[in-house]
Amino acid sequence: MPVNKNILSIFALGGINEIGKNMYVLQYADDIVIVDCGGMFPDESLLGIDLIIPDITYLEENQEKIRALIITHGHEDHIGGIPYFLKKVNVPIYATRFTLGLIQLKLEEHKLNRGTKLVTIDSESKLEFGAFGVSFFRVSHSIPDCLGIVFHTPEGNVVHTGDFKFDLTPENNQYSDIHKMAEIGTNGVIALISESTNAERKGSTPSEQMVGVHLEEAFIHAQGKIFVSTFASNVNRIQQIVAACIQTDRKLALLGRSMVNVVSVAIELGILDVPEGMLIEAGEVEHFAPEKVAILCTGSQGEPMAALGRLANGNYRDVAIYPGDTVILAASPIPGNEHDVSRIIDNLFQLGARVIYGSGSSTGMHVSGHGYQEDLKLMLTLIKPTYFIPIHGEFRMLHHHRLLAESVGVEKGNIFIIKNGDVVDIENGIARQTRAIPSGDTYVDGMGIGDIGEIVLRDRKQLSEDGMMVIVITLSKGERNIIQGPDTITRGFVYVKDSEDLLKEVNNIVRKTVNNLQAENIRQWNIIKQNIKKAVGRYLFEQTKRKPMILPVIIEI
């Protein structure tokens, strides 16, 4: 990192030009503080990958300098990478009560809960980490107990907003610390690091209270069972669903492991208020009249194995959707999930359900937890930073956020749109971006962390598109003559019974290739395999315009 010890360095290992795997790092001299450690779910191109987390190579190399991991809130894109990070680097974690409750669930699942120091903080906490003093302010979001962070450094104050919006009537009465933000801005801020998710959307983010009104109206008019699917972490929305159940005298069942876990933590911490006797088990749903039951489930993003996906396919063991039941999607699809959500909605209609879906603004069943343009401008106006670094968004979102910053007085040359790994150095009050550190994606596949690279993914892609062909031949040890075979096995390439002539010609090509090499006295296995792959691959492409993976297997006797 910096050669000069009096440099403050700010960079991201995740969360720039993407919405996911957030991880931001501040370093001054030999002190490093990390903000958030998230994960990101893969798209369809990353076959078999379970989760994407940041590349933490730099942090592993400098782990003796890391003083703390501070978590702004409990969403997956901010805490999902923590168990994998702790397996490489064990550092104290600082977070609010509810956020720590969600983190503890993850650590228990990964058997890491005993060796990790967890420290509870709130908006009034003040911490010291070497060159860093740290204080906090409360922000509103779609999950309880969210914080913005102020880093007090020798170069000045740096503010990280976390995810936020300005909701003047929040469902959980956790109001944004607007007066404290204004005071922070008055005291001077050298740099603001602020989220950009909704920088393209004009106006102000609607209040959560609007959703509560629409939910209660839908519950009143529903005839049969009511199914509501939302993010398990959206405790404010869950509280509104509980209120609608109270008003319409319905019992409430929870479907989906994450839903059950989050609700349990929220009730235990007193964040969620559920009347005694309201919650029932999934197996009890059929014991009640349909108009006396509501079901809260995961799967609002179209995940096929989540509760709503299984309900839509009619294969959830304890509960079924019947004609006349109402299904409410109380969440908007994350970009990229639209197709999966649409497929589930189609299946729900085929079951005869009444489905309330669409963008939050059209149905009133969802409002974003991220600030629109007016919210973002208000944050910029309150904090009044000298330098500005937009984060948590794709490039177009960062670009729009830059324009918003310019519109409220931040100098154009003082705004840094960076990539993951780009370092903004601040020295003597002057910020520059001239260098970068290694960064990228680390893939989690089953028990493996980072052991799947581009070559394996390329092979998986080839297998998924054109299948594979295994060619087994037995050669004599001395002369390398063919004793048996070749035997050809295909998977995902052609149907054997319809392609006998094709496969017969493949075997002829293999024999001819081996015999030619034997005649030239070429007996190295790797050369024989390469020539077989080349000759067979050329023929198969000519005949089928496909490129299956070809795996020659040579047995020597």
Side-chain angles (χ1 to χ4, degrees):
M1 280 300 282
V3 176
N4 188 325
K5 294 290 185 180
N6 298 318
I7 296 179
L8 172 65
S9 299
I10 303 169
F11 57 94
L13 294 177
I16 307 289
N17 289 333
E18 61 194 5
I19 300 178
K21 69 180 180 71
N22 292 277
M23 177 177 271
Y24 309 96
V25 182
L26 287 82
Q27 178 168 1
Y28 190 90
D30 290 330
D31 298 311
I32 293 176
V33 180
I34 306 167
V35 179
D36 292 336
C37 182
M40 184 167 69
F41 293 112
D43 60 28
E44 294 178 352
S45 67
L46 298 175
L47 300 168
I49 299 302
D50 300 319
L51 188 70
I52 308 170
I53 58 177
D55 181 350
I56 60 167
T57 301
Y58 177 81
L59 297 177
E60 288 184 80
E61 294 172 350
N62 293 273
Q63 58 184 290
E64 74 283 353
K65 300 177 183 179
I66 302 173
R67 307 296 172 234
L69 169 58
I70 304 174
I71 307 299
T72 59
H73 65 285
H75 276 146
E76 278 296 310
D77 56 336
H78 296 261
I79 68 171
I82 289 177
Y84 308 99
F85 177 73
L86 292 178
K87 290 175 183 178
K88 301 288 185 70
V89 181
N90 190 6
V91 299
I93 298 176
Y94 295 78
T96 55
R97 279 195 321 144
F98 181 60
T99 305
L100 279 184
L102 299 180
I103 292 171
Q104 283 176 313
L105 290 175
K106 292 186 173 294
L107 299 188
E108 289 169 6
E109 183 180 343
H110 288 262
K111 296 180 173 56
L112 295 169
N113 49 318
R114 292 185 178 179
T116 304
K117 181 181 179 183
L118 303 176
V119 182
T120 303
I121 57 175
D122 58 33
S123 60
E124 301 302 318
S125 298
K126 296 185 185 303
L127 308 172
E128 295 287 339
F129 302 113
F132 294 98
V134 183
S135 60
F136 303 91
F137 56 94
R138 191 187 307 115
V139 293
S140 296
H141 189 38
S142 56
I143 189 172
D145 281 5
C146 301
L147 295 176
I149 309 172
V150 185
F151 295 95
H152 308 275
T153 81
E155 285 292 339
N157 294 335
V158 177
V159 173
H160 187 298
T161 65
D163 289 0
F164 75 95
K165 65 176 179 179
F166 287 101
D167 190 342
L168 301 182
T169 54
E171 181 67 28
N172 56 10
N173 293 322
Q174 293 185 357
Y175 295 90
S176 300
D177 283 330
I178 296 177
H179 295 295
K180 185 181 282 190
M181 296 177 202
E183 183 181 352
I184 293 165
T186 301
N187 292 335
V189 173
I190 187 71
L192 172 65
I193 307 167
S194 183
E195 71 130 325
S196 311
T197 311
N198 278 335
E200 299 171 284
R201 303 179 73 170
K202 295 181 179 180
S204 300
T205 312
S207 172
E208 288 284 342
Q209 286 198 357
M210 179 193 78
V211 178
V213 173
H214 287 92
L215 275 170
E216 289 186 4
E217 184 179 349
F219 269 59
I220 290 170
H221 291 97
Q223 300 297 317
K225 295 193 297 294
I226 299 176
F227 294 81
V228 185
S229 184
T230 190
F231 295 108
S233 60
N234 196 338
V235 177
N236 298 337
R237 189 69 39 76
I238 296 171
Q239 187 68 69
Q240 292 171 326
I241 293 164
V242 169
C245 286
I246 293 172
Q247 185 173 353
T248 55
D249 191 27
R250 288 179 182 261
K251 299 291 186 180
L252 182 62
L254 307 176
L255 304 185
R257 186 179 66 169
S258 61
M259 185 67 72
V260 172
N261 288 341
V262 171
V263 168
S264 298
V265 171
I267 291 175
E268 182 180 342
L269 296 177
I271 294 170
L272 183 63
D273 183 16
V274 181
E276 187 174 348
M278 173 177 282
L279 292 179
I280 61 174
E281 298 295 328
E284 298 178 82
V285 168
E286 298 300 327
H287 299 161
F288 292 86
E291 64 274 10
K292 293 296 182 181
V293 180
I295 296 96
L296 180 59
C297 60
T298 57
S300 63
Q301 297 305 304
E303 307 96 312
M305 295 309 295
L308 183 64
R310 291 160 61 195
L311 286 165
N313 290 326
N315 61 4
Y316 201 95
R317 185 176 59 184
D318 297 315
V319 185
I321 296 175
Y322 297 116
D325 287 343
T326 297
V327 181
I328 301 171
L329 272 68
S332 294
I334 295 171
N337 293 343
E338 295 89 350
H339 176 72
D340 293 334
V341 173
S342 295
R343 183 175 63 247
I344 284 179
I345 292 170
D346 282 347
N347 291 343
L348 292 170
F349 275 115
Q350 290 182 28
L351 293 174
R354 172 176 173 256
V355 189
I356 302 174
Y357 68 99
S359 66
S361 58
S362 64
T363 65
M365 295 299 178
H366 178 67
V367 295
S368 178
H370 302 273
Y372 290 9
Q373 290 184 354
E374 296 305 314
D375 301 67
L376 301 181
K377 287 194 289 185
L378 178 55
M379 179 65 77
L380 285 157
T381 302
L382 290 169
I383 299 300
K384 297 188 283 288
T386 303
Y387 294 99
F388 176 52
I389 305 172
I391 59 165
H392 198 295
E394 296 167 2
F395 184 85
R396 67 184 187 279
M397 303 168 187
L398 307 181
H399 171 75
H400 282 285
H401 205 173
R402 174 175 61 186
L403 298 179
L404 295 175
E406 292 175 15
S407 73
V408 296
V410 181
E411 293 185 20
K412 186 174 183 178
N414 288 0
I415 302 171
F416 294 91
I417 294 185
I418 59 175
K419 301 186 294 293
N420 290 328
D422 288 349
V423 182
V424 176
D425 291 319
I426 303 177
E427 182 181 13
N428 298 324
I430 306 299
R432 298 181 179 87
Q433 199 286 300
T434 59
R435 63 195 183 91
I437 64 166
S439 66
D441 295 336
T442 298
Y443 301 127
V444 177
D445 185 357
M447 297 294 289
I449 305 172
D451 58 340
I452 302 298
E454 293 301 323
I455 294 175
V456 174
L457 289 174
R458 186 186 63 202
D459 288 347
R460 289 181 179 181
K461 187 173 187 296
Q462 184 178 4
L463 285 167
S464 71
E465 291 178 347
D466 293 320
M468 65 181 294
M469 174 178 284
V470 180
I471 301 169
V472 183
I473 55 174
T474 303
L475 303 181
S476 61
K477 188 171 185 179
E479 299 299 322
R480 289 290 196 270
N481 293 324
I482 297 177
I483 298 176
Q484 185 175 340
D487 297 316
T488 305
I489 305 165
T490 73
R491 290 293 182 272
F493 171 51
V494 293
Y495 183 52
V496 174
K497 290 185 178 180
D498 292 341
S499 308
E500 292 180 357
D501 292 341
L502 178 76
L503 299 180
K504 188 180 295 183
E505 182 59 26
V506 167
N507 292 338
N508 291 335
I509 291 172
V510 173
R511 290 192 196 94
K512 183 178 179 181
T513 301
V514 174
N515 291 334
N516 288 342
L517 292 172
Q518 194 267 347
E520 297 175 17
N521 204 30
I522 297 174
R523 302 182 179 183
Q524 293 92 335
W525 279 23
N526 62 327
I527 296 178
I528 295 174
K529 288 183 177 181
Q530 288 173 7
N531 278 268
I532 290 173
K533 288 174 67 174
K534 186 176 180 180
V536 172
R538 187 188 308 115
Y539 171 72
L540 291 178
F541 185 75
E542 289 174 355
Q543 297 298 314
T544 67
K545 293 297 184 279
R546 303 177 201 164
K547 295 182 179 180
M549 181 177 289
I550 300 169
L551 300 175
V553 177
I554 298 176
I555 301 172
E556 188 178 70
I557 297 178

